[in-house]
Amino acid sequence: MTTVSTGNFAVGDPLREARESDKQLEEDFAHSPPVYEGSGEARPPKPSFAEYLYHAKLRREVEDADKSVVTSKGIAQLFKKKEEKEDKGEKDDSVVIQEGPTQPQHDDDLEGLTETQREYLNARRALRQAGWATVFYLITCDILGPFNAPYAIASIGLVPGILLYILFGAVAALTGAMLWRLFLRMDSVRYPIKTYGDLAERIFGLWARHLCTLLQSVQLVLNVGLICLTNGQSLYQVTKSHLCFSVSVVIWAIVGMFLGQIRGLQNFGAIANASVWLNLLIIFLSMGFIAHSPPNYASAFASYGITEGPIIVQAVVSQPVFSQVNGVFNMVFAGLVAAMCIFQFTYTFPPALMLGLDMCIDAAALDEPFTTPGQAPRRADSWKNLSRWRRGYFGGGRKRVAIKFANTFFLLGGLATAGLGLWATGTDLQESIAEGAATSFGCVANV
């Protein structure tokens, strides 16, 4: 049996165990919950907010003491025969870890767990190891804005388009930093943050998890459908209409099913690496082709009823408000998907979660200090009392109050913008249906 060292823990065959037995961890916890020393009782089914913070703090301390350096191998690992290496007992070097001189001797946030539970948790943690290069590729391969830039700038004009791209990018960087901070304050090996809903539930409750799950489900369904349709359209055009459009869509659906089996960040990061460079290549080739070729008038007429005419570049475009708003939301993604789902997770929910986290922390100032894992500290009051709301919003000092005010205005602005986007998308969709919508099921492409 090979042993893979991941800096501050060592597990026998961790990646294989995590992939094959991920559900076994939950079953093991259900049948044999951890017992805390001195209490003689199993932990409650749902930990308290204070316990989440407690274990996250312990995990950050362990990580701060860990001087290991995690680097990514990149796209080269796609061409390795991983199965052959495992059969020969060789070490999987898709993740390169240089261990530092100082390593923590034990993990305090794993106290009270059985050896089996520790191994499963460490195996799961191995899958979360990734270098900065992998993280960059995972982020940029998801939604690359320049693909939607032509439509967005044509809808609102050159100057507003460039300015709004800069604004959206800056705000997305801010909300990304918010999510990073939320993750650090709430994530631990014992209680890992695996989904957006985990964050929402720990701060606001179960209803928030259901809301996030619903929106993410809608987003994924619409995104997958849109990606299959657009890639199918591209394949249909490459084959010069010799391949049935519906067949080309099914081909990309099958490809996506195979890629969806990848679970490790490192393995998926290699594909994301290739995706980013391929996208950049497509963008540069498109720019060169468009600069020396006329517009695709046939596609423009089929999609938007635009007839052949002179090419006009305008700093500001005069169009109906809903058309301009749709152009703005195409900077994030495509119409309905952006306004209903993507915009919320990127611009609306992060300030709401930050506000909720700060309020929960400051509201607990008069509660009993957290001392015993598995036991919720006694509260001075509840959220049914105005005193807890007042302490949560106006407590913590001037700086924290100012941050809460800023997050409140940020949240209200995000909700207002999302509402405007839903109105614009609905109006545009209504007009498209009135003109007669083309079907996506057939051997001839609908655009």
Side-chain angles (χ1 to χ4, degrees), residues 74-78 134 137-138 265-275:
I75 194 173
Q77 70 189 73
L78 285 175
T134 299
Y137 294 134
L138 289 172
L265 284 179
Q266 286 293 328
N267 295 331
F268 190 78
I271 297 178
N273 182 337
S275 173

Side-chain angles (χ1 to χ4, degrees), residues 72 279 316:
S72 306
N279 287 339
V316 180

Side-chain angles (χ1 to χ4, degrees), residues 63-94:
E63 292 173 351
D64 289 341
D66 181 13
K67 304 303 179 183
S68 303
V69 178
V70 181
T71 57
S72 306
K73 278 292 188 179
I75 194 173
Q77 70 189 73
L78 285 175
F79 305 100
K80 294 182 179 180
K81 296 182 179 180
K82 187 173 181 180
E83 294 78 7
E84 295 182 2
K85 295 200 309 177
E86 290 180 349
D87 293 339
K88 294 178 181 179
E90 298 179 8
K91 181 179 178 180
D92 182 9
D93 58 352
S94 60

